[in-house]
Amino acid sequence: MDATSCLKSLLLAINQYKNNKSVSNATQLQRQLDVISGLKSTRLFSSNQVLPSECLSCLIELAGDPNTNTSLTLKIIGLLSHLASEEETREALHTSYSLTSALASVIHCNSSTPSEPVVLQCIQLLQRITYNVRVFHSSANIDELLTFLMYHIQSPDDELTMPCLGLMANLCRHNMSVQAHIKSLNNVKGFYRTLISFLAHNRLTVVVFALSILTSLTINEEVGEKLFHAKNIHQTFQLIFNIIVNGDGTLTRKYAVDLLVDLLKNPKISDYLTRYEHFNLCLSQVLGLLHGKDPDSAAKVLELLISFCSVASLRRLLCQALFAPPSVRAPSSGKNNKTPEPVIALIHCSSLPLEGPENSTLQALELLKEMLEEAIDSPCCSTMHQFVDLLLPVLLDLLQTPGQILDESLAKKKCARTSRAIDILLVLCGDESLKFQVSEKLTARACVSQLEFQFSSSWMDVGFVNPVADSDHGQVGADVVLKTLDLMSKIKQFVPNMETSFYKMLQDQRLITPLSFALTSDLRHRVEAALRIVFEAAPLPDFPAIMLGESIAANNAYRLQEAQYSISRTPAHELHEQPSTLGKGCSSPHYTSNSPQRSNIQNLIEKLQAGVELKEEIKDVRVSELMDVYEQKISALASKEGRLQDLLEAKALALAQADRLIAQYRCQRAQAEAEARKLAALLKDAERNNEELGALLKSQQLESERAKTDIQQLFNHNRKLQAVAEEHESLKGSFTEVVQKLDASEKQLKELQVSHTSLSKQAEALKKHNENVKLQHDKTMAQLTEMEDKRKQLSREIQEKESRISNLQQKIRIQEEKTKQQEKEKDEMEETIEILRKELSKTELARKELSIKVADQNKSCMLRQHKQHMHCGVLSL
């Protein structure tokens, strides 16, 4: 039964269950789900086909329905987990089908029964889907999901704690809205305390989850400054490197690498890492992980090493660890002494087959590029020739064109790898000695064949409707063309026939498409590469400059047109919802076509007819406004016609140029035929000599093969003996270390016993002294309360007198208005005021004296409390 028939049966079973949620229909649907789970073609669901998309939408809808049978929900989530193992399907589930909100709804509905298996499966699936993906906080049920996760993280001995921690780490990473929501909650301090307590957990996975959440939430806050203080950061680095090297599995290592990458983005923490004394040892252990068999772990390790390149000092140390001689490198642990060189592992990752994991190969090539850029300007450059000899065959193999037709995904992978390989070759050409080494291996035929392969690819057959910028494969292919030409320009003087091939390719009309794409790009390196090529090609007589200008103008026009219609484009189903808007006097109708680029006169006539039909229904629309709109449409079409006429004239000029090229080609062909006859005679002579030399070569090859087998056998035997000797020496050293540690631990035990007895006696004496201090403290506290009561009474009296003073001042203002009539009363009042002022000064002096006494009492109490704390600290010690 093929996949299409299975999907049709599944869709039929889903519809039957939706119409009648009976046990028999649920059983039938579960059988169909088992059949789909048995299919190996999980990529089918990542495509844009209608049938798989409809099946996924219906399954997610059923999973989010609270009325769906629990066992059926488990089956659906199990199938979705199986599909999420493939990267493209996982991205489609998150972006196109809103699986995150649906699973959050399932968890919210079952929050009262968290022990149900469906809750654990939903959390695990959410953790897989949301890894390295941003979740919008405004999505449905996200707030309830965060509350559920925080509750179960803070619950003791909960089986959901670890998956909840992993999911929370995904949601908080690089998501400011989720972080702000968590910080705004009331119990956020208790949540921080719980996370800090997890840092001492016995499982490394829980530790790295908790540390990742704390980093996302507190890296720029006071809690984060205390957590990542200079005193603690070295322990944190050691913990993270231990998790990366000795983690519980790939999942733990992935989160540990993400955590360290996030910490490196903080300038202060990256500066701390540069001064970390054990960094060289940790780096050698991390490089040893490149030899593992797990491609996911290797990819994460490469991601970490690339992030080290963003810090100048770490980049230098990494370059030394890779390219410096063994005597200069930092000593590594005995465990990694048997592993081959890390650069060999990088070269191996760079040459993985196309069917393998893509991230590892691209990241390995990117790391090699970064390291070679650093090494060229460093003292390690003199020791790189041997490494370049190993690397060049891999790069040239990536530069070779495939012998068979590849499907779209493999072709895209091949193109991306070729682009990275050419980047490395361009970096090597930055050094004169390395450039000469590259020119000895690279041939003009390899570059020309790569260009011909890119020109013959499907991405080159694009026009104004589908430019290169709309295709990821097209962008990478254009980069490959430009970088290949840049490489040919750098080594054209050192490789035979390279200069001729280079200038011939510059006059090829097929170069116009990638050049126009790069010149109109928004990336600086593309524009610079295109300008270098144009600078080389402009003086050539047959360079199609006019066609390049037309292509650039067409790309600019396309972008302008896209910008104009991106806002005005309206879905077709809104066509019949606009009469009410038109009736209010809207100046532009909304019933335009879905694809304005393809509009023509026939479509305009149909719209006019539709407008006439709508006019009978809409009586409020003014005919003049509608006619203005249609006149604007007609003028736009006329301007388009003018542009097309200009393009037609340009094509006619290009056709005339093509005729001239054909005539030149015929003359060159006649000359080439004459030269070919001469070369044929020379070729016959060369073939005779070649046959004689071939016989000698075969005999020498047989002798060399025999010598190689003998050397290889001796080399293998020597390597085995060296391995046995190294093991013997390491065992001797470990035995002596264990004996020394045992003697030292016995001496320390005796000393600790003596110190324990003395400390116990001191502790008893301090307990007695502490009791006496407590009694004195109680007495002083009682005296302090009495003095506080007296101070309160005095403050009350002062307030009463101040109120009297304010009343008297009001009376004085009233009496001042009647000064002319009551001079005698004024004199009496002034006398009374002076008396009151004297009393006020006396009360203020008394208040100051009392405040001084109270301050003295407070200081004495503080000194006594400080002494008591000191005694308590001694007792605790």
Side-chain angles (χ1 to χ4, degrees):
M1 196 174 184
D2 59 345
T4 305
S5 302
C6 294
L7 291 175
K8 289 180 180 179
S9 302
L10 175 62
L11 188 59
L12 179 61
I14 292 171
N15 291 328
Q16 288 177 355
Y17 181 78
K18 282 183 177 180
N19 296 329
N20 184 12
K21 294 183 178 181
S22 61
V23 178
S24 60
N25 289 338
T27 305
Q28 181 64 24
L29 181 54
Q30 289 180 14
R31 289 175 188 162
Q32 294 299 326
L33 290 173
D34 291 335
V35 173
I36 295 297
S37 300
L39 294 176
K40 295 182 180 180
S41 57
T42 56
R43 284 181 174 270
L44 183 64
F45 291 90
S46 61
S47 62
N48 295 323
Q49 298 180 13
V50 177
L51 187 57
S53 301
E54 185 68 17
C55 290
L56 276 180
S57 300
C58 295
L59 287 175
I60 293 171
E61 182 182 356
L62 281 179
D65 188 1
N67 298 322
T68 305
N69 190 6
T70 306
S71 60
L72 181 59
T73 304
L74 281 171
K75 279 282 184 184
I76 294 172
I77 294 173
L79 174 62
L80 295 175
S81 300
H82 174 65
L83 296 177
S85 60
E86 203 275 323
E87 185 177 357
E88 294 181 3
T89 308
R90 184 166 61 248
E91 292 178 359
L93 288 173
H94 175 72
T95 56
S96 303
Y97 299 97
S98 302
L99 181 59
T100 305
S101 299
L103 294 176
S105 174
V106 175
I107 294 173
H108 179 60
C109 293
N110 294 276
S111 58
S112 57
T113 57
S115 59
E116 290 290 332
V118 67
V119 177
L120 180 59
Q121 284 199 11
C122 286
I123 294 174
Q124 290 174 347
L125 180 56
L126 273 174
Q127 184 181 355
R128 183 183 297 181
I129 290 174
T130 57
Y131 178 72
N132 267 349
V133 173
R134 184 177 178 182
V135 178
F136 292 102
H137 180 240
S138 58
S139 302
N141 302 307
I142 296 299
D143 287 345
E144 291 80 4
L145 177 62
L146 293 173
T147 305
F148 177 87
L149 295 177
M150 290 182 67
Y151 174 80
H152 285 277
I153 288 171
Q154 293 176 322
S155 299
D157 298 329
D158 195 343
E159 63 177 358
L160 296 177
T161 300
M162 191 168 73
C164 288
L165 280 170
L167 179 54
M168 181 64 82
N170 291 347
L171 296 176
C172 292
R173 189 172 183 237
H174 302 162
N175 199 327
M176 298 299 293
S177 57
V178 173
Q179 295 172 15
H181 174 73
I182 294 174
K183 293 175 186 178
S184 65
L185 298 177
N186 296 327
N187 59 341
V188 66
K189 291 184 178 179
F191 184 59
Y192 286 166
R193 286 193 292 271
T194 304
L195 291 175
I196 292 172
S197 66
F198 280 135
L199 298 180
H201 202 273
N202 55 359
R203 295 198 62 178
L204 296 178
T205 307
V206 175
V207 174
V208 74
F209 284 163
L211 195 55
S212 178
I213 299 170
L214 285 171
T215 302
S216 300
L217 294 176
T218 66
I219 188 66
N220 297 318
E221 295 186 357
E222 184 179 357
V223 179
E225 291 178 358
K226 293 179 181 178
L227 186 63
F228 301 106
H229 194 263
K231 298 179 180 179
N232 306 325
I233 194 64
H234 287 184
Q235 298 177 358
T236 306
F237 288 149
Q238 188 62 47
L239 174 65
I240 295 174
F241 279 115
N242 286 337
I243 294 172
I244 293 173
V245 177
N246 306 312
D248 295 338
T250 306
L251 180 67
T252 308
R253 185 172 290 120
K254 285 166 61 176
Y255 280 87
V257 168
D258 292 338
L259 172 61
L260 189 54
V261 169
D262 292 342
L263 290 175
L264 282 174
K265 295 177 182 177
N266 190 311
K268 186 183 294 185
I269 295 177
S270 63
D271 184 53
Y272 289 150
L273 185 59
T274 58
R275 291 178 286 174
Y276 180 48
E277 56 183 354
H278 302 298
F279 178 75
N280 287 328
L281 178 60
C282 295
L283 181 60
S284 63
Q285 293 175 347
V286 170
L287 289 173
L289 296 175
L290 293 175
H291 310 291
K293 296 181 180 179
D294 186 10
D296 292 334
S297 296
K300 294 307 291 186
V301 170
L302 288 169
E303 181 182 348
L304 176 61
L305 296 176
I306 291 172
S307 68
F308 285 160
C309 297
S310 61
V311 183
S313 54
L314 299 182
R315 179 189 179 103
R316 196 178 309 113
L317 292 174
L318 180 58
C319 181
Q320 291 176 1
L322 286 174
F323 297 121
S327 59
V328 181
R329 294 180 197 165
S332 58
S333 61
K335 176 182 173 182
N336 291 331
N337 285 338
K338 299 179 185 179
T339 59
E341 296 290 333
V343 289
I344 304 299
L346 278 179
I347 293 173
H348 174 69
C349 291
S350 304
S351 59
L352 292 175
L354 284 175
E355 293 77 10
E358 182 65 7
N359 291 335
S360 301
T361 303
L362 295 180
Q363 288 175 348
L365 291 170
E366 181 66 20
L367 181 61
L368 285 172
K369 175 193 168 187
E370 296 285 341
M371 289 297 96
L372 288 170
E373 287 178 351
E374 180 68 21
I376 285 176
D377 299 327
S378 68
C380 300
C381 185
S382 58
T383 63
M384 285 178 56
H385 294 281
Q386 186 177 2
F387 166 71
V388 173
D389 285 334
L390 296 174
L391 180 62
L392 278 177
V394 177
L395 298 179
L396 295 177
D397 183 65
L398 292 174
L399 199 60
Q400 293 295 325
T401 57
Q404 58 184 358
I405 299 175
L406 303 175
D407 60 5
E408 185 177 356
S409 59
L410 293 179
K412 188 176 179 181
K413 287 182 180 181
K414 175 66 177 175
C415 208
R417 293 186 183 187
T418 304
S419 177
R420 297 290 176 91
I422 298 173
D423 285 338
I424 297 175
L425 291 173
L426 289 171
V427 171
L428 293 175
C429 290
D431 183 77
E432 291 298 325
S433 59
L434 297 178
K435 183 195 290 187
F436 183 75
Q437 196 172 355
V438 171
S439 62
E440 288 180 346
K441 301 288 185 180
L442 188 62
T443 61
R445 183 178 180 183
C447 296
V448 172
S449 62
Q450 182 60 233
L451 291 173
E452 291 292 339
F453 173 75
Q454 296 298 332
F455 287 149
S456 61
S457 299
S458 58
W459 68 268
M460 287 293 293
D461 300 327
V462 295
F464 184 76
V465 179
N466 184 23
V468 174
D470 286 353
S471 169
D472 293 337
H473 187 191
Q475 293 181 16
V476 179
D479 286 338
V480 170
V481 172
L482 297 175
K483 292 173 183 177
T484 305
L485 289 171
D486 199 2
L487 178 63
M488 294 172 71
S489 175
K490 290 181 183 297
I491 61 174
K492 62 186 177 182
Q493 303 295 335
F494 304 94
V495 180
N497 298 325
M498 183 64 79
E499 187 173 6
T500 305
S501 302
F502 173 66
Y503 287 115
K504 183 179 179 181
M505 283 296 168
L506 290 182
Q507 300 177 77
D508 197 327
Q509 295 183 0
R510 296 174 294 180
L511 185 61
I512 296 303
T513 301
L515 269 182
S516 62
F517 159 71
L519 288 171
T520 56
S521 174
D522 53 353
L523 297 178
R524 184 180 62 184
H525 67 89
R526 285 178 181 165
V527 178
E528 290 174 353
L531 288 175
R532 285 195 297 268
I533 294 169
V534 171
F535 181 79
E536 292 276 356
L540 300 176
D542 295 329
F543 177 68
I546 297 175
M547 294 182 65
L548 177 60
E550 292 170 5
S551 183
I552 293 173
N555 283 341
N556 291 332
Y558 174 80
R559 293 190 177 186
L560 179 62
Q561 195 175 26
E562 280 293 307
Q564 290 175 350
Y565 286 111
S566 60
I567 301 174
S568 62
R569 189 177 291 121
T570 305
H573 63 81
E574 295 182 4
L575 179 63
H576 301 290
E577 299 176 2
Q578 305 301 331
S580 60
T581 308
L582 287 171
K584 294 179 183 179
C586 182
S587 62
S588 62
H590 293 267
Y591 42 84
T592 58
S593 174
N594 279 335
S595 56
Q597 302 96 326
R598 303 172 185 173
S599 61
N600 52 23
I601 300 299
Q602 186 62 33
N603 290 337
L604 184 60
I605 292 171
E606 293 175 0
K607 290 178 184 179
L608 286 170
Q609 292 175 355
V612 173
E613 292 173 1
L614 287 173
K615 183 180 176 183
E616 296 176 359
E617 299 176 1
I618 307 166
K619 297 181 180 180
D620 298 335
V621 179
R622 289 179 291 179
V623 176
S624 60
E625 292 177 351
L626 292 175
M627 292 303 295
D628 291 337
V629 173
Y630 295 137
E631 287 175 358
Q632 291 175 3
K633 296 287 183 181
I634 292 170
S635 63
L637 289 171
S639 63
K640 281 185 181 179
E641 186 180 358
R643 291 195 204 112
L644 291 174
Q645 187 65 32
D646 295 337
L647 288 173
L648 185 62
E649 292 175 357
K651 293 295 181 184
L653 291 174
L655 184 61
Q657 188 178 6
D659 293 337
R660 185 167 56 85
L661 289 173
I662 290 169
Q664 292 178 358
Y665 170 74
R666 288 173 180 170
C667 295
Q668 292 174 359
R669 183 178 178 181
Q671 295 174 359
E673 287 176 354
E675 292 177 357
R677 295 189 192 96
K678 294 178 182 178
L679 291 173
L682 295 173
L683 182 61
K684 290 180 181 179
D685 297 335
E687 284 177 353
R688 292 184 197 132
N689 296 328
N690 193 16
E691 289 175 357
E692 295 175 358
L693 294 172
L696 293 173
L697 181 62
K698 288 179 181 179
S699 61
Q700 291 178 358
Q701 283 178 350
L702 291 173
E703 292 178 0
S704 64
E705 287 176 0
R706 292 171 187 169
K708 283 180 180 178
T709 53
D710 295 337
I711 292 169
Q712 186 65 30
Q713 290 175 358
L714 293 172
F715 180 73
N716 293 333
H717 184 66
N718 188 16
R719 187 168 56 185
K720 290 178 182 178
L721 292 175
Q722 286 179 356
V724 172
E726 289 176 358
E727 288 181 359
H728 182 67
E729 292 294 331
S730 63
L731 289 173
K732 278 185 179 180
S734 61
F735 177 73
T736 55
E737 289 177 359
V738 168
V739 172
Q740 291 174 1
K741 287 180 181 177
L742 180 61
D743 296 336
S745 60
E746 288 178 353
K747 292 179 182 178
Q748 289 178 359
L749 180 61
K750 293 178 181 179
E751 293 175 356
L752 289 172
Q753 287 176 351
V754 175
S755 63
H756 176 69
T757 55
S758 62
L759 288 173
S760 60
K761 293 178 182 179
Q762 291 178 3
E764 291 177 357
L766 289 172
K767 282 182 181 178
K768 294 178 181 179
H769 183 69
N770 188 21
E771 291 176 355
N772 296 330
V773 172
K774 283 184 178 178
L775 293 173
Q776 292 178 1
H777 177 68
D778 294 337
K779 291 179 182 179
T780 55
M781 288 300 294
Q783 292 176 0
L784 183 63
T785 53
E786 291 177 0
M787 295 298 294
E788 185 67 23
D789 295 336
K790 290 181 182 179
R791 187 184 66 79
K792 290 180 180 178
Q793 289 178 0
L794 290 174
S795 63
R796 289 170 189 163
E797 292 177 359
I798 290 169
Q799 289 178 356
E800 290 176 357
K801 290 183 179 181
E802 286 179 351
S803 63
R804 289 178 186 175
I805 290 169
S806 63
N807 293 331
L808 290 173
Q809 286 178 352
Q810 291 178 359
K811 291 180 181 179
I812 288 169
R813 290 183 189 129
I814 295 170
Q815 292 298 327
E816 283 179 353
E817 295 177 356
K818 300 178 180 179
T819 54
K820 293 181 181 180
Q821 298 177 0
Q822 300 177 351
E823 292 179 353
K824 294 180 180 181
E825 293 178 358
K826 177 181 177 182
D827 297 331
E828 294 175 356
M829 291 298 294
E830 287 178 352
E831 292 175 357
T832 55
I833 288 168
E834 291 176 356
I835 294 168
L836 290 172
R837 285 177 179 171
K838 291 177 181 179
E839 291 178 355
L840 179 61
S841 62
K842 292 179 181 179
T843 55
E844 285 180 351
L845 291 172
R847 184 176 63 81
K848 289 179 180 179
E849 292 175 356
L850 287 173
S851 63
I852 292 167
K853 291 180 181 180
V854 170
D856 294 333
Q857 290 293 329
N858 287 331
K859 289 180 181 179
S860 62
C861 291
M862 292 295 288
L863 289 172
R864 289 169 185 168
Q865 289 178 358
H866 181 66
K867 290 179 180 180
Q868 184 179 0
H869 287 308
M870 291 294 290
H871 288 303
C872 293
V874 172
L875 287 173
S876 64
L877 290 172

